[in-house]
Amino acid sequence: MAIVDSKSNKKVNYVVRAVNKPHLNPQKLRKWIIIGIVILINFGFLAGFTAFFIRFSGTIGEIGNNITNSVKTGSNLDLPTLGKIALGQVSDSQELFPQVNIAEVNLDTEFSKLSEIATEYTLPKFLNNNWVILGEANFGSEIGKDLLLFNKDKNIVVTFSMLENKISGARVLPSISDKKWKLVLVNDFNNDNNSDLVWRYDDDTESKLLLWTMKGRSISKQQWLALDVANLKDWNIVGSGNFDENLVPDIVLSYVGKDTRYKGANLVSYLEGTGTIKAKEDKSTGWLPFIEATDEVGNLTKNVIEVTDFNSDGFPDLIINQNDKTKIRSQQGKIEVWLLKNTELSSVVNVDDYLDLTWKPFVADINMDGSSDILWTNTSPDNQKCQGQTSTWLLDKVFRLETKIGSQINKCE
């Protein structure tokens, strides 16, 4: 390039070099930004995973064990609860449902002459006192009903199918293998004409309830059942009934704690819900009539053994058993029916006759006539010949009609 010098008026040749200033390529810029973001995400994930693993290492191991057990037993995993564990929304003792056990039981070794039972209203003789009757149920039968029994030593659940006033068969239901769990209640909680089961867990620190919604004799759903009581360990579950006419049975509890202010107290815990059963929000509990009968040292001499609409008036009633061992034999074992209107005591009816305290009563409609009956089982600790025998009282509303006694009963005298 030639330029004229103003001073010398001469042309001067300059070599002009283009200087290219450095600049960023947009494509390369986006590439490095993406790489940086990926590095940051991976670093954050690694740091978070390390912190999570340190915090929940014990829980992760327990989840792994539960998944392994679920695969072995074929039971369903509780995935929503697993998510709650990670978020810290459930306590360490409530993170997983207990392991379901499908036991293989030879019923002929637990009950005498099971296959030969044909006598009306008579159950087979129980092997020992570990068997208790929880009540009547319906697990899908359209022509009869079931009687539910629980072995509190082996955690075995058995149903006797009742058809035409006779035992037509017996079957084993799913159960929980952990002996800290006990079956305490049977009723239809979701109004599908199929009975459901309530299990209770107790140890030195806590007490909790688990509801199994059943379909036939299989578990359809599991859920925790939280009652609105201050300390569940202070209460026994004695039955259930629909006190507020919302189609969901309510649970009745009797106080067994040490606070003398509540000695003899009975409480109804109201429930509601469709898919999930829970404590009723607007009114969660209500008082039922207190038991005031005590012996000379202050121990209760009566206890609630069942909740049922005994006189078919639409209101659940309380079945009371006299258990005062200090009384003469004629005063022991008597049955009272406390007829209720809503939660208020309407009247008390004494059922005629009695059996002594070696006999434990359970309430069920044995002959399927629409009225509750009383089924007695002998729990004598000393007499093996008597232990496990049954006797049935057929009742018409609250009036005793007749007594059906199995032939083996007479041998106990």
Side-chain angles (χ1 to χ4, degrees):
M1 176 181 292
I3 299 177
V4 178
D5 189 334
S6 59
K7 293 182 179 180
S8 61
N9 200 26
K10 294 182 178 178
K11 293 182 179 180
V12 180
N13 291 323
Y14 287 89
V15 177
V16 179
R17 296 179 179 177
V19 179
N20 294 324
K21 294 183 179 180
H23 63 278
L24 295 176
N25 187 312
Q27 293 181 347
K28 291 183 178 181
L29 178 60
R30 285 195 298 270
K31 175 181 178 181
W32 285 108
I33 289 175
I34 292 173
I35 292 174
I37 292 174
V38 171
I39 292 174
L40 288 175
I41 290 175
N42 279 276
F43 179 82
F45 178 82
L46 180 61
F49 180 82
T50 302
F52 179 86
F53 186 84
I54 294 173
R55 169 64 177 84
F56 296 102
S57 57
T59 300
I60 292 172
E62 190 167 347
I63 292 175
N65 292 335
N66 189 75
I67 292 174
T68 301
N69 291 332
S70 297
V71 171
K72 290 180 179 179
T73 60
S75 58
N76 295 327
L77 292 175
D78 180 37
L79 296 180
T81 302
L82 296 182
K84 291 181 180 179
I85 301 169
L87 298 175
Q89 294 179 355
V90 294
S91 66
D92 292 339
S93 62
Q94 291 181 312
E95 60 242 9
L96 299 172
F97 292 138
Q99 180 178 344
V100 178
N101 178 43
I102 309 297
E104 295 184 4
V105 181
N106 184 352
L107 296 179
D108 286 326
T109 64
E110 297 290 340
F111 304 97
S112 64
K113 299 181 180 180
L114 182 61
S115 59
E116 300 177 15
I117 292 299
T119 306
E120 288 187 338
Y121 318 121
T122 303
L123 291 180
K125 182 179 183 297
F126 303 167
L127 178 65
N128 53 47
N129 288 338
N130 289 319
W131 286 98
V132 294
I133 301 172
L134 288 186
E136 58 186 352
N138 186 348
F139 292 103
S141 174
E142 297 180 355
I143 55 177
K145 63 176 60 179
D146 302 305
L147 200 62
L148 188 71
L149 286 82
F150 176 64
N151 188 303
K152 57 187 178 182
D153 177 56
K154 298 180 180 179
N155 274 28
I156 300 172
V157 184
V158 173
T159 60
F160 285 150
S161 298
M162 306 289 292
L163 180 62
E164 296 180 352
N165 303 335
K166 299 178 182 179
I167 301 296
S168 61
R171 296 186 63 177
V172 179
L173 267 63
S175 63
I176 298 176
S177 56
D178 185 350
K179 301 300 177 58
K180 291 182 180 179
W181 287 93
K182 300 300 177 186
L183 188 58
V184 295
L185 203 58
V186 54
N187 210 327
D188 181 8
F189 284 88
N190 60 347
N191 196 34
D192 65 349
N193 296 319
N194 200 114
S195 296
D196 308 307
L197 306 179
V198 176
W199 291 83
R200 175 171 182 160
Y201 176 91
D202 283 295
D203 63 13
D204 295 335
T205 60
E206 66 174 339
S207 181
K208 57 186 178 181
L209 300 177
L210 179 65
L211 171 62
W212 281 1
T213 301
M214 306 293 289
K215 188 171 183 62
R217 292 177 173 84
S218 301
I219 305 170
S220 174
K221 177 184 176 181
Q222 301 185 81
Q223 71 154 90
W224 299 110
L225 186 61
L227 306 184
D228 191 12
V229 295
N231 186 1
L232 186 58
K233 290 178 67 64
D234 289 339
W235 298 87
N236 275 344
I237 294 177
V238 295
S240 61
N242 191 357
F243 285 83
D244 54 1
E245 300 178 318
N246 67 348
L247 301 181
V248 180
D250 308 304
I251 294 180
V252 176
L253 307 98
S254 293
Y255 187 74
V256 292
K258 297 180 180 180
D259 193 334
T260 56
R261 295 175 299 173
Y262 301 114
K263 178 175 290 187
N266 298 299
L267 183 75
V268 56
S269 177
Y270 295 103
L271 300 178
E272 64 180 1
T274 52
T276 299
I277 308 300
K278 60 181 180 178
K280 197 172 182 180
E281 294 184 358
D282 58 340
K283 185 180 181 181
S284 60
T285 58
W287 292 111
L288 294 174
F290 274 53
I291 294 176
E292 299 180 353
T294 58
D295 59 19
E296 296 177 354
V297 295
N299 296 318
L300 291 174
T301 57
K302 296 179 181 180
N303 63 295
V304 180
I305 60 169
E306 184 59 274
V307 179
T308 185
D309 183 5
F310 212 88
N311 58 347
S312 304
D313 65 348
F315 299 103
D317 306 308
L318 303 182
I319 314 302
I320 310 294
N321 186 215
Q322 167 69 260
N323 59 8
D324 188 358
K325 297 180 181 180
T326 67
K327 299 289 186 180
I328 61 175
R329 189 175 185 274
S330 62
Q331 297 297 316
Q332 296 179 8
K334 284 193 171 182
I335 300 292
E336 296 177 357
V337 181
W338 289 14
L339 301 178
L340 304 181
K341 293 290 185 182
N342 292 317
T343 59
E344 300 295 327
L345 181 61
S346 173
S347 60
V348 177
V349 176
N350 290 297
V351 178
D352 291 341
D353 216 335
Y354 64 92
L355 292 176
D356 64 50
L357 295 183
T358 61
W359 293 85
K360 299 301 179 186
F362 304 91
V363 178
D365 184 6
I366 302 299
N367 60 347
M368 293 177 284
D369 65 348
S371 296
S372 296
D373 307 306
I374 299 177
L375 178 64
W376 297 82
T377 59
N378 193 300
T379 61
S380 173
D382 304 318
N383 193 332
Q384 290 295 322
K385 184 185 296 185
C386 293
Q387 190 178 113
Q389 299 290 358
T390 61
S391 177
T392 305
W393 287 3
L394 301 181
L395 306 177
D396 181 10
K397 296 190 185 300
V398 294
F399 302 102
R400 182 179 171 196
L401 289 182
E402 58 180 321
T403 302
K404 292 285 187 178
I405 301 178
S407 60
Q408 298 180 51
I409 295 291
N410 298 328
K411 299 177 183 179
C412 294
E413 299 298 335

